[in-house]
Amino acid sequence: MALSVEGKHALVTGAGSGISLAFARRLLQEGCSVVIGDLKLGVEAEALLKSYPHPPTARDTPSVVFHETDVTSWPQLASLFAAALATFPTLDIVVPGAGLYDPPWSSFWQPPHTATNPDSASRDRADSEPGHYAVLDVNLVAPIRMSQLAIGHWTKRKERGCIVHVGSVAGYLAEAASPLYFASKHGLHGFVRSLGDMRDELGIRVSCVAPGPANTGIWYQDPGRADEILQGCKWLTVEEIVHAMLELVIKDEYGNGTILEVTPGETRVVPMFNAQPPKPGAVHMPAMGAFHEKLFHDLRTKGLGV
C-alpha cells in the first residue's frame, strides 16, 4: 500500500544544498511541509523558501522554514526539534541528511595536530577529551541522536513516524582512501538495521537509502582531491536518489531496517546476510586506483605523521 505525504510535516537536516535539498523540494511538491536544519542555505535553498513561504499564502498549502543548526551540537539538535514542533503540530518524517565526505580537516590521513605533526589540515583536536572526528560526528553520531529525539517524540505521543537515513554503497564496500567515511556509513547501516523491529512493534519506520556516487557538492570539500579521484566517474542522478527516498517514506513494505541501494537505472533492497555486491560497473570510479597507489607510496616512503 502506498502512503501519502500530503499534509504531513518533515524535518530534514543538510537541506541547505545537495541531495537533502532535492528531497526537501520533492516533499514540498508532494504537499508536505518541511523544516530545514543546516549551517546555511545555498542559493537554491533560499529560492525554495521564497517559493513555499511560512506562514503559507494559501490554505492547505505546504511551507518551509529554516533553522540554523550545527548537527554536531546536541543542544542545537534539541533546539531544532523544539523549533519544528513550535512551527508545526507534529513531525511525521525525519531525515538526518547532513553529511561529509572526508574533507582534509577531518580525514584519517590528516591526523590531528601535534608537536610532531604541525602541518596537518585537520581541525579535529588531538587534545580533545573525549576525542572527536567531525566526519563521524556528522555522519553517524548526529543521525543517532536525531533518531533518539524523533523516537522519543513519537512514542510519548503514541504517534507513528518515519525516519529516512542517508547511507551509501560505502556502507558495505571498503576503500583505504576514505576510511572514516566508509566506517561512518557501515555504522549507520548497522544502526538502521538494528531498529528494524520498530515498524511492526510501534509503527515507527526506519530505513536508509544507499546510493552510489552522485555529482553533488559533498565531494568538493577538498577540491584538489575531488579533481584527482572523480575523473571518469559513472554518476547517479540526484533525481534517482530522491525517488528512492520518497519510496522509503510511502511504500508500506519498507521501513523495517531497509537498506535501499540506488545505482544508475535501478534499486534493490540489500539483504542483511549473503548480499551480492553492486552489479559490475554500477559503482565506477576509475581514478580511485591511482589515488590508492599514491596513498600507499607516501605511507611507504614518508610514513604517517601523528
Side-chain angles (χ1 to χ4, degrees):
M1 183 179 71
L3 309 174
S4 172
V5 299
E6 186 175 3
K8 301 293 178 58
H9 305 90
L11 169 58
V12 185
T13 61
S17 62
I19 293 168
S20 293
L21 170 60
F23 187 56
R25 181 185 295 110
R26 180 64 183 273
L27 288 173
L28 287 158
Q29 291 169 347
E30 298 286 335
C32 177
S33 293
V34 177
V35 177
I36 291 175
D38 209 333
L39 290 170
K40 61 181 180 179
L41 296 176
V43 173
E44 291 184 43
E46 292 276 11
L48 193 68
L49 262 69
K50 292 178 182 177
S51 298
Y52 295 92
H54 185 84
T57 54
R59 187 178 177 182
D60 298 327
T61 58
S63 61
V64 58
V65 297
F66 170 62
H67 189 80
E68 184 177 342
T69 308
D70 177 354
V71 298
T72 67
S73 164
W74 287 14
Q76 289 191 39
L77 285 181
S79 174
L80 172 63
F81 270 80
L85 293 170
T87 305
F88 298 123
T90 191
L91 288 171
D92 305 285
I93 303 158
V94 171
V95 182
L100 296 175
Y101 177 76
D102 245 25
W105 49 267
S106 185
S107 165
F108 184 78
W109 303 116
Q110 292 281 356
H113 287 267
T114 64
T116 57
N117 180 33
D119 299 322
S120 175
S122 178
R123 296 202 300 260
D124 301 321
R125 290 180 52 189
D127 60 354
S128 292
E129 185 61 57
H132 293 273
Y133 291 106
V135 167
L136 298 181
D137 287 342
V138 173
N139 291 3
L140 182 58
V141 177
I144 290 172
R145 181 58 180 150
M146 286 186 67
S147 298
Q148 284 181 322
L149 292 168
I151 292 166
H153 169 70
W154 292 323
T155 54
K156 287 294 186 181
R157 295 178 57 158
K158 303 296 188 290
E159 293 180 353
R160 295 173 178 266
C162 178
I163 304 174
V164 176
H165 290 277
V166 181
S168 169
V169 294
Y172 38 89
L173 302 177
E175 169 53 54
S178 308
L180 293 183
Y181 178 78
F182 278 74
S184 71
K185 297 304 181 181
H186 274 258
L188 184 63
H189 287 197
F191 174 71
V192 168
R193 291 191 188 279
S194 297
L195 298 184
D197 288 343
M198 298 191 71
R199 184 192 68 179
D200 299 335
E201 295 285 347
L202 298 167
I204 296 173
R205 303 167 69 244
V206 184
S207 58
C208 185
V209 67
N215 194 2
T216 68
I218 193 173
W219 297 98
Y220 296 96
Q221 293 155 348
D222 183 357
R225 183 177 177 192
D227 291 341
E228 185 176 1
I229 68 174
L230 300 182
Q231 298 176 46
C233 271
K234 184 175 183 179
W235 294 115
L236 181 65
T237 68
V238 171
E239 289 73 23
E240 288 175 288
I241 301 170
V242 166
H243 179 75
M245 293 173 72
L246 186 63
E247 287 200 325
L248 289 173
V249 176
I250 67 175
K251 286 197 171 180
D252 235 1
E253 65 265 32
Y254 297 147
N256 59 338
T258 310
I259 308 296
L260 185 62
E261 178 185 278
V262 188
T263 52
E266 66 178 293
T267 62
R268 65 161 180 160
V269 174
V270 181
M272 185 179 298
F273 302 111
N274 302 316
Q276 294 296 314
K279 286 186 176 179
V283 182
H284 187 60
M285 301 181 72
M288 187 65 80
F291 185 90
H292 185 101
E293 291 178 11
K294 180 179 182 298
L295 169 66
F296 281 94
H297 175 268
D298 288 346
L299 290 171
R300 280 191 295 267
T301 56
K302 303 174 186 176
L304 180 67
V306 295

